[in-house]
Amino acid sequence: MTRVLVVHHDIDMADQEAETLRLAGYEVDQCAGPAMNRCPVLRGEPCAAAERADVLLYDVWSTGESDGGRRLIRNLRELYPDIPVVLTAPGLELDWVEEEGPHGVTPMTGMPDRAHLQAAIEEALAKRVRA
């Protein structure tokens, strides 16, 4: 079973995404993210929750930082190059997001419903297999 770590600054949205993924057959862990916790990833240190995951599902606003999540994503990709990252930012197109290469992520566009979440996760996993 695929384990997904859901990291979202909005606890209600995180609960909704996690429940949607559980109903779709994923094993899910949750974290409120760096804006609410002391995040080791922002310090360039390993995160036990991320290490247990097969896919990381991150809300771009989870850091609460002015850089819009760039440092967090860069650190995640450097610490965990083999764990796919799905980046959610409903309604926004992020011009700094890299979809390929060492800092590549899979952006999820649209509402975080079951179809969009599953498609993004499966795309991210497929990218890992191709790499």
Side-chain angles (χ1 to χ4, degrees), residues 11-67:
I11 192 68
D12 293 330
M13 186 59 91
D15 288 344
Q16 192 173 25
E17 288 178 359
E19 185 59 21
T20 297
L21 291 171
R22 284 185 188 101
L23 291 172
Y26 296 95
E27 188 173 333
V28 180
D29 289 327
Q30 288 178 248
C31 176
M36 304 300 232
N37 299 308
R38 299 181 83 142
C39 179
V41 172
L42 283 177
R43 296 187 307 269
E45 299 171 2
C47 169
E51 289 176 351
R52 289 189 302 268
D54 298 308
V55 177
L56 305 171
L57 178 69
Y58 269 77
D59 162 49
V60 71
W61 307 117
S62 64
T63 64
E65 293 189 337
S66 62
D67 76 348

Side-chain angles (χ1 to χ4, degrees), residues 60-61 70 87 89-97 99 107-110:
V60 71
W61 307 117
R70 290 178 186 163
L87 189 61
L92 295 176
E93 294 289 328
L94 301 171
D95 61 356
W96 57 267
V97 172
E99 293 186 43
M108 191 211 74
T109 55

Side-chain angles (χ1 to χ4, degrees), residues 1-7 26-31 47-58 76-77 80-86 121 125 128:
M1 181 178 300
T2 301
R3 181 182 292 255
V4 180
L5 175 62
V6 174
V7 180
Y26 296 95
E27 188 173 333
V28 180
D29 289 327
Q30 288 178 248
C31 176
C47 169
E51 289 176 351
R52 289 189 302 268
D54 298 308
V55 177
L56 305 171
L57 178 69
Y58 269 77
L76 279 171
R77 299 316 306 138
Y80 305 107
D82 296 328
I83 301 176
V85 174
V86 173
I121 289 169
L125 288 168
R128 180 181 68 183

